[in-house]
Amino acid sequence: MPTGTAVWALQDVIVEENKPFTVSGQFYVEAQQNSQVQLLIQFFDASNKLLRTSTASMPSSTYNNSYMTLPINGTTPTGTKRVRVHAGLVSTAAGGSGSFIVDSISFRYDPEGNRLTNGGVDSATSQKIADGWSTWSDTHSADKFEVVSTPVSAGTAAQKISSSGMPTGSAVWALQDVIVEENKPFTVSGQFYVEAQQNSRVQLLIQFFDASNKLLRTSTASMPSSTYNNSYMTLPINGTTPTGTKRVRVHAGLVSTAAGGSGSFIVDSISFRYDPEGNRLTNGGVDSATSQKIADGWSTWSDTHSADKFEVVSTPVSAGTMAQKVSSSGMPTGTAVWALQDVIVEGNKPFTVSGQFYVEAQQNSRVQLLIQFFDASNKLLRTSTASMPPGILNYYKTLSIDGTIPADAKRIRVHAGLNATAAGGAGSILVDSIILKF
């Protein structure tokens, strides 16, 4: 290939302007010399004028004969009517050459900016492992990978991993490699549903590699061993990609802590995103919703036995494209209706939880942000609340709680909802931009 020339597979797509997006593909590089393997996207207006070009390249020495996700995040420019997505080779010097394979190419509107392929694990052409993910094990035991349709935290499928008879220190993983940038604040998280656990840890693990595939750092987060109560919990890791990082490997799996380790868990809604804010909630912006009732990653709870209603709405919002609506009427005194999410945490950490609340109506009720702290045995350690003053209607206002996580806390439950202060309590609220930081 002459210098500066290129060869592309490409596709044109009609899109909307000012939309947050992710475009990605899984690339398998076989050979590369004086060339770059690239993902490229061009943005055109209605008169076919080129507005902008964005590119991402595979590191030249990182062809280790495995698929890696190469993503681009951004927002479609004002005036955009069409994008052209390219995957190909660009020559960087005379005689450029290369060979690669590309699969699982995606362009999607994505306010969260998830850089993983099929992070929601809803696409699966195999019954064993979700599309875009790989399996790894050194247990030589009864490992099992299975894509299941229930229970899920969002969408239509989740990834199940189980093993038994594991030697001490062995592990079984679902994993994915992603090309990233150095010195970027990030959050990686997943929603984990633990069915059983003995002499093992259910872990989220991320490894950071440089251009020569040298391991720079490993970060882990583990589910508390006794906190399997058959509900989904968010397990997050925050940090900054080390200087020199070109690739991360995201793992979800089981690690044996003693001979005969075993366990079974399901993971869903896995996300790796650049995140200066360090929000540890899954879908805190409530912009992802595969149900019209409740945003992905969130659950509902009520003891009102009344006319409760949960709805994902497109207006009004404080940010992004959607917000969560919660309403009820005829509520008995002291009852409540909540949207909630469980998150694994560390003790003795200063925290802030906040949300943007829009009150449409309120009678004999409080609009509340509530957080509960639980230890490893699910004992309630403390509850903290913040309430909207009455009479603030029809605009978004921030509710926040600050404090320090109790020393023994392993899990918190974040709630947004209505609490009846008298018989016949009623109200209607929207909540958006929910953030948990510690």
mmCIF file of all heavy atoms in Angstrom, residues 66-67 126-139 143-147 159-162 171-177 249-253:
data_model
loop_
_atom_site.group_PDB
_atom_site.id
_atom_site.type_symbol
_atom_site.label_atom_id
_atom_site.label_comp_id
_atom_site.label_asym_id
_atom_site.label_seq_id
_atom_site.Cartn_x
_atom_site.Cartn_y
_atom_site.Cartn_z
ATOM 1 N N SER A 66 -6.561 -12.506 19.171
ATOM 2 C CA SER A 66 -7.839 -12.598 19.877
ATOM 3 C C SER A 66 -8.638 -11.348 19.551
ATOM 4 O O SER A 66 -8.071 -10.303 19.198
ATOM 5 C CB SER A 66 -7.638 -12.726 21.387
ATOM 6 O OG SER A 66 -7.046 -11.569 21.925
ATOM 7 N N TYR A 67 -9.951 -11.444 19.658
ATOM 8 C CA TYR A 67 -10.805 -10.288 19.368
ATOM 9 C C TYR A 67 -10.704 -9.250 20.481
ATOM 10 O O TYR A 67 -10.680 -9.590 21.669
ATOM 11 C CB TYR A 67 -12.256 -10.729 19.214
ATOM 12 C CG TYR A 67 -12.587 -11.213 17.815
ATOM 13 C CD1 TYR A 67 -12.706 -12.568 17.530
ATOM 14 C CD2 TYR A 67 -12.764 -10.304 16.783
ATOM 15 C CE1 TYR A 67 -13.002 -13.011 16.246
ATOM 16 C CE2 TYR A 67 -13.064 -10.734 15.492
ATOM 17 C CZ TYR A 67 -13.180 -12.079 15.237
ATOM 18 O OH TYR A 67 -13.465 -12.507 13.963
ATOM 19 N N SER A 126 -24.752 -18.210 20.834
ATOM 20 C CA SER A 126 -24.423 -19.470 21.505
ATOM 21 C C SER A 126 -25.189 -19.519 22.814
ATOM 22 O O SER A 126 -25.430 -18.490 23.442
ATOM 23 C CB SER A 126 -22.917 -19.540 21.780
ATOM 24 O OG SER A 126 -22.615 -20.460 22.818
ATOM 25 N N GLN A 127 -25.560 -20.700 23.237
ATOM 26 C CA GLN A 127 -26.222 -20.842 24.534
ATOM 27 C C GLN A 127 -25.219 -20.806 25.682
ATOM 28 O O GLN A 127 -25.606 -20.743 26.853
ATOM 29 C CB GLN A 127 -27.009 -22.158 24.584
ATOM 30 C CG GLN A 127 -28.192 -22.193 23.624
ATOM 31 C CD GLN A 127 -28.986 -23.477 23.731
ATOM 32 O OE1 GLN A 127 -28.456 -24.519 24.109
ATOM 33 N NE2 GLN A 127 -30.273 -23.402 23.404
ATOM 34 N N LYS A 128 -23.932 -20.787 25.341
ATOM 35 C CA LYS A 128 -22.893 -20.866 26.359
ATOM 36 C C LYS A 128 -22.410 -19.482 26.803
ATOM 37 O O LYS A 128 -22.346 -19.194 27.999
ATOM 38 C CB LYS A 128 -21.715 -21.682 25.810
ATOM 39 C CG LYS A 128 -20.532 -21.807 26.749
ATOM 40 C CD LYS A 128 -19.415 -22.646 26.109
ATOM 41 C CE LYS A 128 -18.202 -22.718 27.011
ATOM 42 N NZ LYS A 128 -17.097 -23.489 26.406
ATOM 43 N N ILE A 129 -22.039 -18.627 25.850
ATOM 44 C CA ILE A 129 -21.429 -17.348 26.191
ATOM 45 C C ILE A 129 -22.024 -16.246 25.328
ATOM 46 O O ILE A 129 -22.293 -16.441 24.144
ATOM 47 C CB ILE A 129 -19.887 -17.404 26.030
ATOM 48 C CG1 ILE A 129 -19.213 -16.144 26.587
ATOM 49 C CG2 ILE A 129 -19.495 -17.693 24.602
ATOM 50 C CD1 ILE A 129 -19.222 -16.039 28.093
ATOM 51 N N ALA A 130 -22.250 -15.078 25.930
ATOM 52 C CA ALA A 130 -22.834 -13.951 25.211
ATOM 53 C C ALA A 130 -21.897 -13.486 24.099
ATOM 54 O O ALA A 130 -20.667 -13.569 24.215
ATOM 55 C CB ALA A 130 -23.108 -12.810 26.180
ATOM 56 N N ASP A 131 -22.465 -12.990 23.008
ATOM 57 C CA ASP A 131 -21.685 -12.488 21.881
ATOM 58 C C ASP A 131 -20.708 -11.407 22.362
ATOM 59 O O ASP A 131 -21.057 -10.548 23.180
ATOM 60 C CB ASP A 131 -22.603 -11.894 20.816
ATOM 61 C CG ASP A 131 -23.499 -12.935 20.165
ATOM 62 O OD1 ASP A 131 -23.218 -14.140 20.315
ATOM 63 O OD2 ASP A 131 -24.484 -12.529 19.505
ATOM 64 N N GLY A 132 -19.484 -11.452 21.838
ATOM 65 C CA GLY A 132 -18.478 -10.455 22.174
ATOM 66 C C GLY A 132 -17.653 -10.804 23.398
ATOM 67 O O GLY A 132 -16.665 -10.121 23.693
ATOM 68 N N TRP A 133 -18.036 -11.840 24.122
ATOM 69 C CA TRP A 133 -17.344 -12.253 25.338
ATOM 70 C C TRP A 133 -16.617 -13.586 25.112
ATOM 71 O O TRP A 133 -17.019 -14.381 24.253
ATOM 72 C CB TRP A 133 -18.329 -12.374 26.502
ATOM 73 C CG TRP A 133 -18.895 -11.043 26.898
ATOM 74 C CD1 TRP A 133 -19.961 -10.401 26.340
ATOM 75 C CD2 TRP A 133 -18.395 -10.170 27.910
ATOM 76 N NE1 TRP A 133 -20.162 -9.185 26.940
ATOM 77 C CE2 TRP A 133 -19.217 -9.011 27.914
ATOM 78 C CE3 TRP A 133 -17.338 -10.242 28.820
ATOM 79 C CZ2 TRP A 133 -19.010 -7.955 28.791
ATOM 80 C CZ3 TRP A 133 -17.135 -9.191 29.696
ATOM 81 C CH2 TRP A 133 -17.955 -8.059 29.673
ATOM 82 N N SER A 134 -15.576 -13.831 25.892
ATOM 83 C CA SER A 134 -14.818 -15.082 25.836
ATOM 84 C C SER A 134 -14.824 -15.743 27.206
ATOM 85 O O SER A 134 -15.147 -15.114 28.218
ATOM 86 C CB SER A 134 -13.361 -14.809 25.426
ATOM 87 O OG SER A 134 -13.287 -14.148 24.184
ATOM 88 N N THR A 135 -14.454 -17.022 27.228
ATOM 89 C CA THR A 135 -14.375 -17.760 28.492
ATOM 90 C C THR A 135 -12.914 -18.108 28.788
ATOM 91 O O THR A 135 -12.096 -18.268 27.875
ATOM 92 C CB THR A 135 -15.197 -19.055 28.443
ATOM 93 O OG1 THR A 135 -14.633 -19.938 27.458
ATOM 94 C CG2 THR A 135 -16.648 -18.761 28.068
ATOM 95 N N TRP A 136 -12.593 -18.229 30.076
ATOM 96 C CA TRP A 136 -11.251 -18.629 30.504
ATOM 97 C C TRP A 136 -11.363 -19.376 31.817
ATOM 98 O O TRP A 136 -12.163 -18.981 32.693
ATOM 99 C CB TRP A 136 -10.358 -17.397 30.685
ATOM 100 C CG TRP A 136 -8.915 -17.708 30.987
ATOM 101 C CD1 TRP A 136 -7.891 -17.793 30.101
ATOM 102 C CD2 TRP A 136 -8.339 -17.973 32.276
ATOM 103 N NE1 TRP A 136 -6.707 -18.088 30.736
ATOM 104 C CE2 TRP A 136 -6.957 -18.201 32.088
ATOM 105 C CE3 TRP A 136 -8.850 -18.040 33.569
ATOM 106 C CZ2 TRP A 136 -6.079 -18.496 33.133
ATOM 107 C CZ3 TRP A 136 -7.985 -18.340 34.619
ATOM 108 C CH2 TRP A 136 -6.616 -18.552 34.396
ATOM 109 N N SER A 137 -10.576 -20.415 31.984
ATOM 110 C CA SER A 137 -10.598 -21.184 33.225
ATOM 111 C C SER A 137 -9.291 -21.929 33.404
ATOM 112 O O SER A 137 -8.700 -22.406 32.441
ATOM 113 C CB SER A 137 -11.762 -22.187 33.205
ATOM 114 O OG SER A 137 -11.690 -23.064 34.306
ATOM 115 N N ASP A 138 -8.824 -21.994 34.663
ATOM 116 C CA ASP A 138 -7.705 -22.883 34.985
ATOM 117 C C ASP A 138 -8.111 -23.861 36.094
ATOM 118 O O ASP A 138 -7.266 -24.399 36.799
ATOM 119 C CB ASP A 138 -6.474 -22.086 35.410
ATOM 120 C CG ASP A 138 -6.679 -21.279 36.682
ATOM 121 O OD1 ASP A 138 -7.811 -21.231 37.193
ATOM 122 O OD2 ASP A 138 -5.695 -20.686 37.173
ATOM 123 N N THR A 139 -9.408 -24.097 36.209
ATOM 124 C CA THR A 139 -9.902 -24.936 37.310
ATOM 125 C C THR A 139 -9.786 -26.418 37.009
ATOM 126 O O THR A 139 -9.680 -27.240 37.915
ATOM 127 C CB THR A 139 -11.379 -24.631 37.612
ATOM 128 O OG1 THR A 139 -12.186 -25.072 36.503
ATOM 129 C CG2 THR A 139 -11.607 -23.141 37.843
ATOM 130 N N ASP A 143 -16.786 -26.561 35.223
ATOM 131 C CA ASP A 143 -17.196 -25.199 34.880
ATOM 132 C C ASP A 143 -18.390 -25.249 33.933
ATOM 133 O O ASP A 143 -18.486 -26.134 33.072
ATOM 134 C CB ASP A 143 -16.064 -24.450 34.175
ATOM 135 C CG ASP A 143 -14.804 -24.394 35.003
ATOM 136 O OD1 ASP A 143 -14.919 -24.359 36.236
ATOM 137 O OD2 ASP A 143 -13.710 -24.398 34.407
ATOM 138 N N LYS A 144 -19.247 -24.242 34.076
ATOM 139 C CA LYS A 144 -20.389 -24.157 33.178
ATOM 140 C C LYS A 144 -20.686 -22.698 32.878
ATOM 141 O O LYS A 144 -20.804 -21.881 33.792
ATOM 142 C CB LYS A 144 -21.620 -24.829 33.793
ATOM 143 C CG LYS A 144 -22.815 -24.890 32.836
ATOM 144 C CD LYS A 144 -23.990 -25.642 33.436
ATOM 145 C CE LYS A 144 -25.158 -25.705 32.462
ATOM 146 N NZ LYS A 144 -26.343 -26.390 33.056
ATOM 147 N N PHE A 145 -20.801 -22.386 31.602
ATOM 148 C CA PHE A 145 -21.223 -21.066 31.136
ATOM 149 C C PHE A 145 -22.567 -21.247 30.435
ATOM 150 O O PHE A 145 -22.740 -22.172 29.636
ATOM 151 C CB PHE A 145 -20.216 -20.480 30.148
ATOM 152 C CG PHE A 145 -18.872 -20.181 30.748
ATOM 153 C CD1 PHE A 145 -17.896 -21.167 30.824
ATOM 154 C CD2 PHE A 145 -18.579 -18.923 31.229
ATOM 155 C CE1 PHE A 145 -16.659 -20.904 31.367
ATOM 156 C CE2 PHE A 145 -17.339 -18.641 31.776
ATOM 157 C CZ PHE A 145 -16.376 -19.632 31.848
ATOM 158 N N GLU A 146 -23.488 -20.337 30.715
ATOM 159 C CA GLU A 146 -24.827 -20.471 30.145
ATOM 160 C C GLU A 146 -25.461 -19.088 30.016
ATOM 161 O O GLU A 146 -25.393 -18.279 30.947
ATOM 162 C CB GLU A 146 -25.682 -21.354 31.054
ATOM 163 C CG GLU A 146 -27.070 -21.657 30.528
ATOM 164 C CD GLU A 146 -27.892 -22.490 31.503
ATOM 165 O OE1 GLU A 146 -27.388 -22.795 32.614
ATOM 166 O OE2 GLU A 146 -29.047 -22.810 31.170
ATOM 167 N N VAL A 147 -26.060 -18.801 28.866
ATOM 168 C CA VAL A 147 -26.850 -17.586 28.689
ATOM 169 C C VAL A 147 -28.291 -17.907 29.096
ATOM 170 O O VAL A 147 -28.886 -18.849 28.574
ATOM 171 C CB VAL A 147 -26.791 -17.085 27.234
ATOM 172 C CG1 VAL A 147 -27.670 -15.852 27.060
ATOM 173 C CG2 VAL A 147 -25.347 -16.776 26.839
ATOM 174 N N GLN A 159 -25.697 -13.536 31.705
ATOM 175 C CA GLN A 159 -24.655 -14.563 31.629
ATOM 176 C C GLN A 159 -24.529 -15.288 32.956
ATOM 177 O O GLN A 159 -24.285 -14.666 33.991
ATOM 178 C CB GLN A 159 -23.308 -13.937 31.273
ATOM 179 C CG GLN A 159 -22.173 -14.932 31.140
ATOM 180 C CD GLN A 159 -22.339 -15.869 29.968
ATOM 181 O OE1 GLN A 159 -22.509 -15.427 28.835
ATOM 182 N NE2 GLN A 159 -22.299 -17.176 30.225
ATOM 183 N N LYS A 160 -24.691 -16.613 32.938
ATOM 184 C CA LYS A 160 -24.533 -17.427 34.136
ATOM 185 C C LYS A 160 -23.187 -18.134 34.098
ATOM 186 O O LYS A 160 -22.754 -18.648 33.059
ATOM 187 C CB LYS A 160 -25.657 -18.451 34.245
ATOM 188 C CG LYS A 160 -25.621 -19.284 35.513
ATOM 189 C CD LYS A 160 -26.871 -20.154 35.656
ATOM 190 C CE LYS A 160 -26.845 -20.971 36.939
ATOM 191 N NZ LYS A 160 -28.114 -21.721 37.153
ATOM 192 N N ILE A 161 -22.509 -18.160 35.255
ATOM 193 C CA ILE A 161 -21.225 -18.843 35.406
ATOM 194 C C ILE A 161 -21.280 -19.669 36.684
ATOM 195 O O ILE A 161 -21.679 -19.171 37.738
ATOM 196 C CB ILE A 161 -20.057 -17.836 35.492
ATOM 197 C CG1 ILE A 161 -20.016 -16.961 34.237
ATOM 198 C CG2 ILE A 161 -18.730 -18.567 35.680
ATOM 199 C CD1 ILE A 161 -19.009 -15.829 34.313
ATOM 200 N N SER A 162 -20.875 -20.928 36.588
ATOM 201 C CA SER A 162 -20.855 -21.778 37.774
ATOM 202 C C SER A 162 -19.675 -22.742 37.694
ATOM 203 O O SER A 162 -19.148 -23.030 36.622
ATOM 204 C CB SER A 162 -22.168 -22.557 37.912
ATOM 205 O OG SER A 162 -22.393 -23.380 36.789
ATOM 206 N N ALA A 171 -9.571 -20.072 38.951
ATOM 207 C CA ALA A 171 -10.637 -19.132 38.612
ATOM 208 C C ALA A 171 -11.321 -19.533 37.313
ATOM 209 O O ALA A 171 -10.758 -20.266 36.490
ATOM 210 C CB ALA A 171 -10.070 -17.723 38.476
ATOM 211 N N VAL A 172 -12.514 -19.011 37.141
ATOM 212 C CA VAL A 172 -13.273 -19.185 35.907
ATOM 213 C C VAL A 172 -13.891 -17.826 35.568
ATOM 214 O O VAL A 172 -14.506 -17.186 36.422
ATOM 215 C CB VAL A 172 -14.333 -20.297 36.064
ATOM 216 C CG1 VAL A 172 -15.245 -20.056 37.247
ATOM 217 C CG2 VAL A 172 -15.138 -20.472 34.790
ATOM 218 N N TRP A 173 -13.696 -17.382 34.315
ATOM 219 C CA TRP A 173 -14.052 -16.011 33.945
ATOM 220 C C TRP A 173 -14.825 -15.947 32.625
ATOM 221 O O TRP A 173 -14.536 -16.708 31.700
ATOM 222 C CB TRP A 173 -12.794 -15.155 33.752
ATOM 223 C CG TRP A 173 -11.854 -15.020 34.887
ATOM 224 C CD1 TRP A 173 -10.613 -15.592 34.995
ATOM 225 C CD2 TRP A 173 -12.030 -14.251 36.082
ATOM 226 N NE1 TRP A 173 -10.013 -15.223 36.171
ATOM 227 C CE2 TRP A 173 -10.863 -14.403 36.868
ATOM 228 C CE3 TRP A 173 -13.065 -13.453 36.564
ATOM 229 C CZ2 TRP A 173 -10.701 -13.777 38.105
ATOM 230 C CZ3 TRP A 173 -12.912 -12.830 37.795
ATOM 231 C CH2 TRP A 173 -11.741 -12.996 38.558
ATOM 232 N N ALA A 174 -15.722 -14.970 32.525
ATOM 233 C CA ALA A 174 -16.154 -14.401 31.249
ATOM 234 C C ALA A 174 -15.381 -13.098 31.100
ATOM 235 O O ALA A 174 -15.266 -12.330 32.069
ATOM 236 C CB ALA A 174 -17.649 -14.143 31.250
ATOM 237 N N LEU A 175 -14.842 -12.832 29.909
ATOM 238 C CA LEU A 175 -13.965 -11.666 29.775
ATOM 239 C C LEU A 175 -14.083 -11.021 28.400
ATOM 240 O O LEU A 175 -14.551 -11.634 27.439
ATOM 241 C CB LEU A 175 -12.515 -12.056 30.070
ATOM 242 C CG LEU A 175 -11.865 -13.132 29.199
ATOM 243 C CD1 LEU A 175 -11.204 -12.526 27.962
ATOM 244 C CD2 LEU A 175 -10.822 -13.911 29.998
ATOM 245 N N GLN A 176 -13.621 -9.772 28.344
ATOM 246 C CA GLN A 176 -13.593 -9.024 27.087
ATOM 247 C C GLN A 176 -12.440 -8.018 27.118
ATOM 248 O O GLN A 176 -12.208 -7.359 28.140
ATOM 249 C CB GLN A 176 -14.914 -8.278 26.864
ATOM 250 C CG GLN A 176 -15.008 -7.573 25.526
ATOM 251 C CD GLN A 176 -16.367 -6.928 25.261
ATOM 252 O OE1 GLN A 176 -16.439 -5.886 24.614
ATOM 253 N NE2 GLN A 176 -17.436 -7.548 25.736
ATOM 254 N N ASP A 177 -11.716 -7.929 26.003
ATOM 255 C CA ASP A 177 -10.637 -6.953 25.839
ATOM 256 C C ASP A 177 -11.156 -5.706 25.141
ATOM 257 O O ASP A 177 -11.908 -5.802 24.156
ATOM 258 C CB ASP A 177 -9.503 -7.551 25.010
ATOM 259 C CG ASP A 177 -8.744 -8.637 25.749
ATOM 260 O OD1 ASP A 177 -8.147 -8.334 26.791
ATOM 261 O OD2 ASP A 177 -8.765 -9.790 25.293
ATOM 262 N N ARG A 249 -8.643 -5.596 30.099
ATOM 263 C CA ARG A 249 -9.387 -6.855 30.034
ATOM 264 C C ARG A 249 -10.350 -6.877 31.218
ATOM 265 O O ARG A 249 -9.924 -6.869 32.378
ATOM 266 C CB ARG A 249 -8.447 -8.052 30.061
ATOM 267 C CG ARG A 249 -9.165 -9.396 30.073
ATOM 268 C CD ARG A 249 -8.219 -10.564 29.818
ATOM 269 N NE ARG A 249 -7.880 -10.668 28.398
ATOM 270 C CZ ARG A 249 -7.079 -11.598 27.892
ATOM 271 N NH1 ARG A 249 -6.520 -12.494 28.682
ATOM 272 N NH2 ARG A 249 -6.832 -11.638 26.595
ATOM 273 N N VAL A 250 -11.637 -6.872 30.913
ATOM 274 C CA VAL A 250 -12.686 -6.874 31.929
ATOM 275 C C VAL A 250 -13.141 -8.308 32.172
ATOM 276 O O VAL A 250 -13.479 -9.030 31.223
ATOM 277 C CB VAL A 250 -13.883 -6.001 31.488
ATOM 278 C CG1 VAL A 250 -15.008 -6.056 32.508
ATOM 279 C CG2 VAL A 250 -13.426 -4.552 31.263
ATOM 280 N N HIS A 251 -13.129 -8.739 33.440
ATOM 281 C CA HIS A 251 -13.492 -10.100 33.831
ATOM 282 C C HIS A 251 -14.675 -10.080 34.793
ATOM 283 O O HIS A 251 -14.754 -9.223 35.674
ATOM 284 C CB HIS A 251 -12.359 -10.798 34.591
ATOM 285 C CG HIS A 251 -11.021 -10.819 33.948
ATOM 286 N ND1 HIS A 251 -10.262 -9.685 33.755
ATOM 287 C CD2 HIS A 251 -10.254 -11.860 33.502
ATOM 288 C CE1 HIS A 251 -9.105 -10.014 33.198
ATOM 289 N NE2 HIS A 251 -9.079 -11.324 33.042
ATOM 290 N N ALA A 252 -15.526 -11.071 34.695
ATOM 291 C CA ALA A 252 -16.532 -11.367 35.714
ATOM 292 C C ALA A 252 -16.468 -12.871 35.958
ATOM 293 O O ALA A 252 -16.561 -13.659 35.016
ATOM 294 C CB ALA A 252 -17.934 -10.966 35.244
ATOM 295 N N GLY A 253 -16.283 -13.269 37.235
ATOM 296 C CA GLY A 253 -16.144 -14.704 37.457
ATOM 297 C C GLY A 253 -16.013 -15.112 38.901
ATOM 298 O O GLY A 253 -16.326 -14.353 39.830
#
